[in-house]
Amino acid sequence: GQSYQILAAPLTMYQQIEAPKTNMKKFLLAGSAVLNVLLVVALCFTAFSGNNLARAPQMQMTRRAAMGVGAAGMGLAAARAARAVNPTSIFETNCGACHQGGGNNIIEGHTLSKTAMEQYLDGGWNKEAIEYQIRNGKGPMPAWEGVLSEEEIKAMTEWVFEQSTGQFKDVN
């Protein structure tokens, strides 16, 4: 019997790195639910405290309706806040290992400054090229499409574009 050895090509850096996942959304949604419960309890307490027996029935109905609308509005606001995208947090969680402080720990010079992007980013320094790079990756940079939501990709595009002339302006 002859034995055969299967040779596999070594994995590239891109294949070895798995995109990190975060549970931040779950924590924000849980916090939002707790906040909603506290708001409803506070509104109920306010609406039903005091001398309600002396008031006309119409006044009680108006107050209860207002309480319901207020609770719904606050719940919606809390839910929106829970879904708010925080590009700084996304960057620190997903990009910071390679792009700490706007630099590049993998490829020297390929930083997140406007100057470097004008030189190295396919398409140059503009939001479309930045978004394309985030979505599709290149070389050792993984593609974030399918990992980050559409909203997160758009927010990261804006944030990186702004930081390239701000906080990351002088990174080389």
Side-chain angles (χ1 to χ4, degrees), residues 88 91-92 99-103 112-114 159-172:
T88 303
F91 181 82
E92 290 169 357
H99 291 290
Q100 184 178 22
L112 299 180
S113 69
K114 176 184 176 188
W159 188 83
V160 169
F161 186 79
E162 290 171 12
Q163 298 305 313
S164 67
T165 58
Q167 180 182 350
F168 301 154
K169 180 176 113 177
D170 297 321
V171 176
N172 51 24

Side-chain angles (χ1 to χ4, degrees), residues 32-56:
S32 174
V34 170
L35 181 61
N36 284 337
V37 169
L38 290 174
L39 290 171
V40 169
V41 169
L43 285 170
C44 288
F45 179 77
T46 303
F48 295 109
S49 65
N51 187 2
N52 287 332
L53 296 175
R55 296 188 182 148

